[in-house]
Amino acid sequence: MTRERDGIRDLTGELGSYLDGELPGDARERIEASASADPALREQLDQLRRLDAALAELSPPEPSPGFETRFRARLAAERERRARPAWRRLLDRLELSHLLWGAGGLAAASAALLLAQRPPTDAAFAPERPALDLAIAAEAEPEAWELLREEDLELLEVLEILEDWDGTAEI
Amino acid sequence: MVDEDARLMLAFKDGDTRAFDVLFERYTPRLLGFLFRMVRNRARAEELVQDVFIRLYNAADRYEARTRFSTYVFGIAHNLALNDLARAHRKREVALEPVDQDRWADPTPGPDARLEAVRTQEALERAIGELPERQRAALLLRTQEGLGYAEIAESLDTSVSSVKSLLHRAREALLGKLGDLTT
């Protein structure tokens, strides 16, 4: 009896596929033979049929008033967007906040560049400007390079890039 | 074998804008039904239907009728629905709309029969809404759209055996909740 029940349980997993017409011929015949011999399996099959019928009868909601008009307006805007050149579409995709962040970053970089290029006005402060000292050291005797540490060399490289940067190329 | 809707999409690709209009008319109710039951919010479902058509419009140049058109369209709709649900979960604004009795077309004659039908529909809609998203999508594509397992698998980007399992679990869950309503 238990084995028989297990067999029915195995078939239960196939009932949906049977109703969906997704079983091959021999498997279909097995279901049909079992269902005709077993009222419980037949009842399960009927339950599934009723459920599928109820699901198939569900109707879609009506679109809200003005749905098509809104879509047509959106489509027209899309057509217009696609007619623009690629660079313009790229700009359109950037949000204003991104542009503001970009502008802020550019302003900060420009300020840093100006500060780096500005000569010291007070000699008393000159020794406290390590970047400029390093720049001077770089122009000094070749032996002076040997005294520079690795991080000093990296800093020099950054300074050189900033001095050469004209504001358009990528750093 | 290219189905009729796929032919319309190919015609639109060749410049026939009327073909796009026909697809819009044909698929709006179907997509709205699917997407409303996926995201459970009418305004968002309508936005998503529009998104699907905008995608179709933009993809026309690259369209190739490799599958049934409905498989292709509901694949787009499913992806958009999942993205929308993920966004809604992130914002913690998953507010399920109650089922509005007047929303659904109801051709059932007689007040008792009508009330019973509405009750069944309400319970069914609620139970569908409680299914996991992929089970819900597979069930809707099968029972509402009549897609075969291979087509559902393509729309949901999964395997046929996975579709079979999703459908089995979905039906079991619904029967567990609605057993008395469907007997």
Side-chain angles (χ1 to χ4, degrees), chain A residues 13-14 16-17 20 22 50 52 55 58-64 67 70-72 74 78-79 82, chain B residues 21 24 28-29 32 37 42 46 50-51 53 57-58 104-105 125 128 142 144 148-149 164 168 171 182:
Chain A
E14 299 290 307
S17 304
D20 291 333
E22 295 275 350
R50 285 193 290 271
D52 279 9
L55 286 164
L58 289 178
S59 46
E62 289 291 316
S64 61
F67 171 78
R70 288 197 301 279
F71 173 69
R72 296 288 169 201
R74 202 174 148 191
E78 183 65 16
R79 278 197 199 105
R82 281 172 64 85
Chain B
D21 292 343
F24 180 78
T28 290
L32 191 54
R37 291 183 178 105
R42 179 205 275 255
E46 287 191 353
Q50 293 191 5
D51 288 347
F53 284 109
Y57 182 87
N58 287 336
W104 312 97
E125 291 285 359
I128 292 169
R142 173 65 214 143
Q144 291 266 295
Y149 286 10
K164 188 176 167 181
H168 176 62
R171 283 172 165 139
T182 53

Side-chain angles (χ1 to χ4, degrees), chain B residues 116-131:
Chain B
E116 187 54 38
V118 167
R119 275 193 193 136
T120 306
Q121 275 200 346
E122 277 185 343
L124 198 49
E125 291 285 359
R126 204 174 302 117
I128 292 169
E130 288 167 5
L131 290 174

